[in-house]
Amino acid sequence: MDYGDYFTRNDSLIVYPDKSIFVFKIKKGKLTGISNWVEKGIWVPKKDSSEINNRRNPADAKKKAQLLAEYYDKTKSSSGSDLDFEALFSGKTSGVNEDLCNKGLAKACMNLFGLKMMQYTPGLLTDPVKIPSKKIKPHPELIALSKKIIDLGEPEGYTVLGSYYFTLGLREKAFKTWEEGEKNGSLKSGTTKALIEFQEELQKEVDQEKNTK
């Protein structure tokens, strides 16, 4: 389906598939889900499955796991089985994300990008349709942040940058960015581009139908 950051702590495996948390207990080669979405589920390896080791640099992997564990401790909900979304969207965790982004955690940089995008794009939450007419120039801080995300080895930096361009009405730059993301291993760049194209085709059909009436 997708990939996600993860780390292990004692007998637990904590996975960040996207904007949620999957928490599993590891026991006798099985994973038992204990958090939302995976609760009471049990996962066992398929008999014909093969393991692929994508770890290229053990030191970098260890550092990333340590930073992700720190992120988990500082942003989880009181139950520990979900993100504290209220703290995230209210900006209470902005300092945490900025600190961990500076330390080299791409996930924190992605969160920071979203928060700063809301800050630098008036009307993003209230009336996003009118944003292109305002002709807002891309903010240099967001451009630099997206480059940092990519340099940290997270190809979804292309996805968020392309989405930012598209929000501002810069369609051509958005599509070029998503295409570059696809070439560099981004899974979401391609799906985002395809979704936008589908919506645009659907809108054309609606407009043509209106004109023929």
Side-chain angles (χ1 to χ4, degrees):
M1 290 173 63
D2 203 344
Y3 54 81
D5 292 325
Y6 69 91
F7 69 96
T8 57
R9 175 180 285 172
N10 301 321
D11 64 343
S12 296
L13 167 68
I14 294 91
V15 184
Y16 284 89
D18 190 6
K19 295 179 175 63
S20 187
I21 302 175
F22 292 172
V23 182
F24 304 91
K25 286 294 181 182
I26 307 169
K27 189 176 181 180
K28 296 181 180 179
K30 298 180 181 179
L31 297 177
T32 301
I34 61 171
S35 65
N36 298 336
W37 302 103
V38 295
E39 189 175 7
K40 297 180 182 179
I42 297 176
W43 284 261
V44 296
K46 291 182 178 180
K47 291 181 180 179
D48 59 348
S49 65
S50 59
E51 295 181 5
I52 300 174
N53 186 0
N54 290 318
R55 182 172 293 183
R56 299 288 179 264
N57 188 313
D60 286 348
K62 183 178 181 180
K63 178 185 176 183
K64 183 176 182 179
Q66 289 171 337
L67 291 175
L68 196 61
E70 184 179 347
Y71 172 84
Y72 172 74
D73 290 334
K74 292 179 177 179
T75 61
K76 65 183 178 182
S77 63
S78 56
S79 67
S81 63
D82 208 344
L83 287 172
D84 188 343
F85 286 107
E86 183 181 347
L88 176 64
F89 292 119
S90 67
K92 289 180 181 178
T93 58
S94 294
V96 173
N97 284 305
E98 190 155 7
D99 177 52
L100 289 173
C101 176
N102 290 334
K103 289 180 180 179
L105 183 63
K107 181 172 182 59
C109 296
M110 293 275 285
N111 290 342
L112 198 60
F113 188 98
L115 292 168
K116 287 186 178 293
M117 184 173 165
M118 288 190 289
Q119 178 185 345
Y120 297 138
T121 316
L124 182 62
L125 297 179
T126 57
D127 201 354
V129 178
K130 290 184 178 180
I131 290 175
S133 65
K134 296 178 182 179
K135 296 185 178 180
I136 302 170
K137 292 183 178 180
H139 200 286
E141 189 175 345
L142 285 173
I143 304 299
L145 188 54
S146 67
K147 184 179 183 303
K148 181 172 183 175
I149 293 168
I150 294 165
D151 289 344
L152 286 171
E154 177 51 82
E156 300 310 334
Y158 291 103
T159 306
V160 294
L161 179 59
S163 298
Y164 177 50
Y165 284 145
F166 190 81
T167 299
L168 297 183
L170 304 173
R171 186 186 184 281
E172 187 177 344
K173 291 191 76 168
F175 273 72
K176 283 184 177 180
T177 303
W178 288 326
E179 286 164 6
E180 190 174 354
E182 283 185 285
K183 293 175 184 176
N184 286 279
S186 167
L187 296 179
K188 294 185 178 69
S189 283
T191 54
T192 302
K193 182 163 67 76
L195 179 61
I196 294 296
E197 289 174 330
F198 174 76
Q199 291 173 338
E200 290 177 341
E201 285 301 315
L202 195 63
Q203 188 60 51
K204 284 180 183 178
E205 291 178 10
V206 172
D207 292 340
Q208 286 173 356
E209 188 176 336
K210 285 181 179 179
N211 292 331
T212 56
K213 288 182 179 180

